[in-house]
Amino acid sequence: MVRRIGTTARGIRTPIVKEGDDLANIVVDSLLLAASSEDFSIRDRDVLGITESLLARAQGNYATSDAIAKDIKVKFPSTVGLVFPILSRNRFSIILKGIISSGRKVVLLLSYPSDEVGNHLMDIDKMDELKINPYTDILTESDYRKLFGEKVVHPFTGVDYVSMYKEIGKDNIEIIFSNNPRTILDYTKDILVANIHDRHRTKRILKESGANIVYGLDDILNSSIDSSGYNPEYGVLGSNLASENELKLFPRDCQSFVESVQEKVREKTGKNIEVMIYGDGAFKDPVGKIWELADPVVSPGYTKGLEGTPNELKLKYIVDTELDDLHGDEVMEAVKQKINNKDSSLSKKEESLGTTPRRLTDLLGSLCDLTSGSGDKGTPIVYIQGYFDNYATE
């Protein structure tokens, strides 16, 4: 039978998950109930995405600002140079609260005109008008206010993040603006690197430039403090605000969890699906200019069949070039033949020109994140079918 539908993504509703719940069974049961009620079949190579927050909650992977403070006290003897955090109430405010609670003075170095993921601290056109060179110029907080005003709010959240971070730090924080991480060494040699995706480079630059202590947010709560949650690989990276004084950390043991879910589905259906944990999708908002990926990775755990990148022909290209003289059923059959006979690797070949050379987990994680949303949809797992199909699939 001719296939009329390609990829579909369904948000699957689950019960409310709490700490200690048997999440693997909840996920599998929710999927099978959805399949029964909506009359769809489980098929080999379908993809089941589970949001990272669901797994972290079931694990009870939470930590307070007090636990962060204790870890900072152990790792830093005095002033902390805090380099390139993102601007976020959800992602960073509790972390900063914990650092300040340690009693250590904080020198906060902010990148400009925006943070690492595109949250702006200033109007870029005004920055140009003022002839500020972001590659060389260092601004104090006083300079920043004199140039850009006493209130500079984020266009989406309405928050003045400099004021918010200053309020959290009270009299124990100094804020400066520079895009050169070495600037912090004029204030302290003990550094906590807070950026996400460029953290390894930032650490390397600071170590090579004479820093004394260099940790990253991935080194904070990488083990438990007084029975707190922790993440051995990512520390407090990927964490989210859970309450006024508590964070939900990125989940642990993701690989064993996805393999367990995969096996349970195989036992109950006989089908071999792929399973992944997903967090933020890797996409950029074209209006707000914000890159949504504030997690350290899109997927911290996935089954083996999701390794690699797509290997696809660009249908538009081959139809408009070598098959340009064919029409109707003839061109359809020619396209199917091209797909069935394509090389196992199309990298750098003209017929794949314009396809997306991104990792499967990043593409699928973005699809899952957009499908499940971050609000009140109540669909923290997403079931994707037909992703690995193509025009020749019957």
Side-chain angles (χ1 to χ4, degrees), residues 25-72:
N25 279 321
I26 289 173
V27 165
V28 174
D29 290 346
S30 297
L31 171 62
L32 297 181
L33 284 170
S36 176
S37 66
E38 297 296 320
D39 195 25
F40 65 87
S41 300
I42 308 300
R43 299 196 294 253
D44 289 328
R45 294 224 77 190
D46 289 350
V47 180
L48 179 62
I50 302 138
T51 183
E52 57 83 19
S53 63
L54 204 65
L55 180 56
R57 191 184 311 132
Q59 292 173 338
N61 203 21
Y62 292 81
T64 63
S65 57
D66 288 341
I68 294 172
K70 288 186 178 181
D71 206 6
I72 293 294

Side-chain angles (χ1 to χ4, degrees), residues 195-207:
N195 56 352
I196 305 163
H197 306 295
D198 290 332
R199 64 188 183 277
H200 299 299
R201 177 175 181 268
T202 304
K203 288 179 183 180
R204 174 180 58 77
I205 289 171
L206 288 166
K207 289 175 182 177

Side-chain angles (χ1 to χ4, degrees), residues 202-353:
T202 304
K203 288 179 183 180
R204 174 180 58 77
I205 289 171
L206 288 166
K207 289 175 182 177
E208 291 173 352
S209 300
N212 177 33
I213 295 171
V214 179
Y215 288 109
L217 293 184
D218 48 340
D219 300 306
I220 305 301
L221 294 187
N222 57 2
S223 60
S224 181
I225 302 290
D226 295 339
S227 301
S228 73
Y230 67 98
N231 190 301
E233 186 173 4
Y234 298 117
V236 295
L237 286 178
S239 61
N240 286 273
L241 182 147
S243 68
E244 188 177 342
N245 291 295
E246 191 173 42
L247 287 171
K248 175 193 64 59
L249 304 180
F250 220 40
R252 307 186 301 268
D253 306 320
C254 296
Q255 195 59 38
S256 60
F257 178 78
V258 296
E259 290 171 0
S260 169
V261 171
Q262 183 184 53
E263 180 58 31
K264 287 178 184 296
V265 172
R266 187 186 296 117
E267 289 172 357
K268 294 194 174 187
T269 68
K271 302 299 181 181
N272 187 49
I273 69 168
E274 305 298 342
V275 184
M276 65 182 292
I277 303 298
Y278 68 92
D280 282 346
F283 52 85
K284 185 174 181 177
D285 182 329
V287 176
K289 312 298 183 187
I290 299 169
W291 186 32
E292 293 290 341
L293 185 55
D295 288 328
V297 290
V298 173
S299 177
Y302 51 88
T303 50
K304 191 173 180 60
L306 298 180
E307 292 177 353
T309 58
N311 187 54
E312 299 175 338
L313 294 173
K314 191 72 169 181
L315 290 189
K316 291 185 293 186
Y317 177 82
I318 61 174
V319 168
D320 290 342
T321 54
E322 60 185 283
L323 304 181
D324 189 43
D325 59 338
L326 301 180
H327 302 278
D329 291 345
E330 194 176 19
V331 71
M332 288 174 60
E333 289 306 313
V335 166
K336 291 178 181 179
Q337 187 174 3
K338 285 283 293 182
I339 292 173
N340 288 330
N341 294 324
K342 67 184 177 183
D343 292 342
S344 58
S345 176
L346 294 169
S347 177
K348 300 181 181 179
K349 295 190 177 181
E350 286 187 351
E351 57 230 328
S352 69
L353 188 68

Side-chain angles (χ1 to χ4, degrees), residues 88 91 98 156 240:
S88 175
R91 295 286 190 167
F156 287 177
N240 286 273

